[in-house]
Amino acid sequence: MPNNINDKIFSLLSEEEFKDPDTGLLFFPVYIYTYNPEKEFQIREEIKELDRKLQRPSNNLNCLVLNIYNEFIDYLKHNIFMGSSLLEQIFELEEIDEENALDFIAEKAQEKNDNDAVEKGFINHIGEKLKAYFDEKSPDRVYLLLYGFGSIFPYLRLSEFLKKTEEYVRNYKLIAFYPGELKNDHYSLFGIFGDENVYRANHLNQLISQ
């Protein structure tokens, strides 16, 4: 992401009207920035810099920045069942049946349990984290910067994540960084794998090119 593009994203996110969660896509306040997957590590540094710039006194914004892959690994490490973590169970299952291990990972990545369930799924875990951060309705908490969908593929697609967390996207705007492209109104991860159900999201690239 060249500096001029990063500056354009920063400029848009700094606009007083755009910072207001009640402007733009009111019922689905999700904005997707697509980029060349080969620039993944450059993009990650740019996200850090964007966050730092938005924290400056001119904006004084405290963005919630999440790497969805790191969040999932952390979830697997700290959820214990029958005396061992989910991550340890995956390693053990992998030695016995690799295909079942892959299915188990996908199941855990996409799991969303009922509200009264004892065990919280990963989607519930993320949803509660978002709710806790943004429910204060603080004027400095208006953006979620989300990335890592290239790393967590194929276990969790952006489309699946958005579909299952829509109820939690309130009082803020979600900016998703997506290693792929938008072509003929369809997003595709790495320019290869189609992502469904994200047609309602706004393509951030188009907004900053105006």
Side-chain angles (χ1 to χ4, degrees):
M1 184 162 55
N3 287 334
N4 64 327
I5 298 297
N6 190 33
D7 290 343
K8 288 181 179 180
I9 295 178
F10 171 70
S11 178
L12 177 65
L13 269 59
S14 299
E15 293 179 4
E16 291 301 320
E17 182 178 2
F18 192 81
K19 283 191 285 187
D20 186 348
D22 294 327
T23 61
L25 299 173
L26 300 183
F27 300 106
F28 198 61
V30 175
Y31 300 78
I32 299 176
Y33 180 79
T34 54
Y35 59 89
N36 187 332
E38 294 180 357
K39 297 182 178 180
E40 177 66 32
F41 294 105
Q42 178 183 340
I43 290 292
R44 294 185 183 195
E45 292 303 314
E46 293 286 353
I47 293 171
K48 293 177 184 177
E49 178 60 23
L50 177 64
D51 181 38
R52 285 193 290 266
K53 290 166 67 174
L54 289 170
Q55 290 182 42
R56 292 173 183 172
S58 57
N59 281 295
N60 196 32
L61 295 178
N62 290 308
C63 302
L64 179 60
V65 183
L66 297 181
N67 179 330
I68 194 66
Y69 175 77
N70 288 350
E71 291 292 324
F72 183 50
I73 296 300
D74 187 66
Y75 169 82
L76 295 176
K77 285 181 178 178
H78 292 93
N79 273 267
I80 308 300
F81 181 73
M82 299 292 289
S84 61
S85 71
L86 293 177
L87 188 61
E88 290 171 328
Q89 292 177 36
I90 289 170
F91 290 149
E92 292 173 1
L93 183 57
E94 191 175 31
E95 294 180 357
I96 302 171
D97 190 327
E98 184 175 346
E99 186 172 340
N100 277 345
L102 297 178
D103 290 340
F104 182 76
I105 296 171
E107 176 188 332
K108 291 303 175 183
Q110 301 175 32
E111 191 170 43
K112 181 181 181 182
N113 294 324
D114 295 334
N115 292 332
D116 58 352
V118 175
E119 181 184 345
K120 296 297 182 182
F122 176 61
I123 298 297
N124 304 86
H125 168 76
I126 290 294
E128 290 178 355
K129 189 168 189 174
L130 301 181
K131 195 172 185 297
Y133 191 82
F134 290 105
D135 265 11
E136 291 185 12
K137 297 184 180 180
S138 173
D140 67 332
R141 297 184 178 189
V142 295
Y143 295 128
L144 165 62
L145 306 182
L146 186 66
Y147 67 103
F149 285 95
S151 300
I152 203 171
F153 175 82
Y155 309 113
L156 179 64
R157 302 280 191 97
L158 174 61
S159 55
E160 186 72 18
F161 177 84
L162 294 178
K163 180 173 67 175
K164 291 187 173 181
T165 59
E166 184 171 354
E167 66 186 271
Y168 299 107
V169 185
R170 299 287 186 273
N171 307 319
Y172 65 93
K173 290 180 176 176
L174 190 162
I175 313 298
F177 293 84
Y178 185 83
E181 62 184 18
L182 175 65
K183 198 170 185 179
N184 298 324
D185 294 326
H186 288 85
Y187 288 94
S188 60
L189 189 69
F190 311 131
I192 300 173
F193 305 101
D195 240 322
E196 303 294 335
N197 302 319
V198 289
Y199 60 90
R200 289 190 297 153
N202 206 331
H203 193 208
L204 190 62
N205 304 59
Q206 295 177 356
L207 289 179
I208 63 176
S209 66
Q210 297 174 359

